[in-house]
Amino acid sequence: MIVRVQLFAVAREKVGAQAVDLEVSEPATVGALRRSLAQYFPALGPLVGKLMFSVNADYADDRTPITSASDIAAIPPVSGG
């Protein structure tokens, strides 16, 4: 299954795109998506474990199911003061 993932901040910079289409094996979950991101975009390697994901505007954990119609965003940690 192909899913589209919106990228933000440093994740966007490392990949060089605002969004990516990724193949995820079924049954697809956020955890499977996380593994696909690490595989297809090695530059995200150190960051992948720290990314937060939202699915259909709700924060999601690695067990959250996703479909090709899901609105998915990968949100890196932020810092600042």
Side-chain angles (χ1 to χ4, degrees):
M1 165 178 44
I2 304 294
V3 296
R4 176 164 282 239
V5 182
Q6 299 293 320
L7 303 171
F8 295 93
V10 69
R12 178 184 288 180
E13 292 170 15
K14 289 188 177 288
V15 170
Q18 162 177 325
V20 294
D21 293 327
L22 287 175
E23 186 168 342
V24 180
S25 59
E26 295 187 49
T29 63
V30 168
L33 172 61
R34 188 184 300 275
R35 289 186 294 278
S36 288
L37 276 170
Q39 178 183 356
Y40 290 109
F41 300 102
L44 286 178
L47 184 62
V48 166
K50 299 175 187 173
L51 290 172
M52 294 286 300
F53 287 88
S54 70
V55 176
N56 300 325
D58 289 322
Y59 282 110
D61 64 24
D62 282 356
R63 297 170 302 203
T64 302
I66 56 176
T67 70
S68 59
S70 296
D71 180 22
I72 304 168
I75 307 158
V78 295
S79 63

